[in-house]
Amino acid sequence: MPSLRWQQKSFAALKKEGRAIRIRLGILGADDSLAIIQNVVNEYKELHCMPIVYWDEEEIIDLIHPYMHQVDMWLFSGQVPYSIVKEWGEIDCPMFYVPHTGASLYRTMLHIYYKQQIPIEQLSFDTYHPSEIERLLDEVGICEQVPYVKHYQGGISATALAQYHYELWKQGLTKAAVTCLRTAHLELEKLGVPVYRVLPARSAVESIVQMIIRTGEMLRFQDAQIAVQMIEVDSLFAISNETFSTDEIYKMEMKVTEKLLKYAKKIQGSLKIAGPGRYVIFTTRGALKDITDHYKIIPTIKELEDMDREIVACGIGMGRTAYEAEIYAGKAFLHAKKYGRGTWMVVFDDDTIVGPLGRSEQIRYSFDCAELQAISQKTNLSVATLSKISAILRKLGKNEINAYELATYMQILPRSARRILHELETKGLAEVVGETNSYPRGRPRKVYRIFL
């Protein structure tokens, strides 16, 4: 198994080291579909394949967890495993799945008709929308209604799908089932239901693989994008009253500069002093992505050792030019200052903001949202505030929140959070759905359901 240091290197880092760049592609799927996908992927020298077989949807997260830092992208054999991992929300690299396209269904229905001569109206289907199946039939001159289709979006359990097909078959309404999910296929076989599995078509796999390769090229370009890190350091923080002198201040500033020079070298950047206690480092997006573990943590490295108490704030910005990256770094720096001492924030070139790094309340939000801009005009709340609330709710995985929770994530006073929630309630964008009282003698906290 590769070392963690190798696992976390970006495309840009590998290129600078002169290593051949191959996309490390994690492939998770059922046994039958995985074999088809692998046969296609193995023909592309740009891809290094890491196949994982699953037999139960409940084990998917446990299976992929050990590989999270070993792959650059993920490819799933179908919609269900993809949706399960996406809903989990812990994967921040690109993810794809192979759709069960028309060619896959054509092949399955031809096989059913050739082997069993079962009419379309006596088959039950899943995954597809009825109109999609009828369109495919219409293309070959078959004008038939498809009465039994279990269409769903996102994930679904194999048991639910199998039960749907089984009940129709048991009532004599159908003679066979057509499923896109391998685990449902296996359950139906155990129940004695004639069942046919829709497998990925080679053309569909090739189309997705081409998209993966193009995404890899885009990421290589993105990793080489200019990034600027703006840091404010309080050298006086480490000086005691007994040793307070201009010589001591000078020595401390020299030590800080020396540490930051070593840090800049580690991330292959250059350091510029921008005033008393202010430093700017020019580097690449890929280098900062690696050292912050995809903008999640504050680096704990030797070059920044003992500086955690001295760093007042840090802002990271990305841009197509050095000037643009520096502007975004300045925005990130100002946001970091609002969150308090030692905060690191990131602003990307699409005005997306991430932070604070290394904290449980870290969120990702954006100013560029037409829907929130329209809501902002109807309320006394800024787009930034509305975007933060939306990001917090996504992180919590629910639409309910109280003022204390909102204040914690937004780093504001509870009374300010209550004013925000009251404003949303007044404009019909929130409603009180209950109360919580963590302390017997404390005032109950209203729980609001937000509609954003």
Side-chain angles (χ1 to χ4, degrees), residues 221-282:
F221 172 78
Q222 192 180 72
D223 277 351
Q225 192 178 29
I226 295 171
V228 171
Q229 187 169 5
M230 193 174 290
I231 303 174
E232 181 178 337
V233 178
D234 181 8
S235 302
L236 300 179
F237 190 82
I239 298 178
S240 64
N241 292 331
E242 290 78 12
T243 59
F244 191 90
S245 68
T246 53
D247 287 343
E248 290 296 325
I249 294 173
Y250 180 74
K251 286 179 183 178
M252 292 302 301
E253 288 179 346
M254 290 299 293
K255 284 182 180 179
V256 167
T257 304
E258 186 178 351
K259 284 183 179 180
L260 290 177
L261 279 169
K262 290 179 179 178
Y263 167 68
K265 183 178 180 182
K266 185 176 183 67
I267 59 174
Q268 301 185 25
S270 60
L271 178 70
K272 181 176 80 173
I273 299 174
R278 295 282 180 91
Y279 302 85
V280 176
I281 297 173
F282 293 85

Side-chain angles (χ1 to χ4, degrees), residues 381-418:
L381 304 175
S382 67
V383 175
T385 297
L386 293 168
S387 186
K388 286 180 183 180
I389 295 170
S390 181
I392 291 165
L393 295 175
R394 285 197 305 272
K395 184 179 179 68
L396 294 175
K398 59 181 182 179
N399 290 329
E400 291 81 31
I401 195 169
N402 61 48
Y404 180 80
E405 289 176 307
L406 186 63
T408 300
Y409 275 94
M410 293 186 67
Q411 294 291 291
I412 58 178
L413 294 174
R415 65 171 178 268
S416 299
R418 284 193 290 271

Side-chain angles (χ1 to χ4, degrees), residues 108 186 417 444:
T108 305
L186 295 174

Side-chain angles (χ1 to χ4, degrees), residues 431-446:
E431 65 178 4
V432 178
V433 294
E435 291 183 343
T436 61
N437 194 351
S438 304
Y439 304 98
R441 297 184 180 180
R443 186 172 64 178
R445 295 170 180 166
K446 292 181 180 180

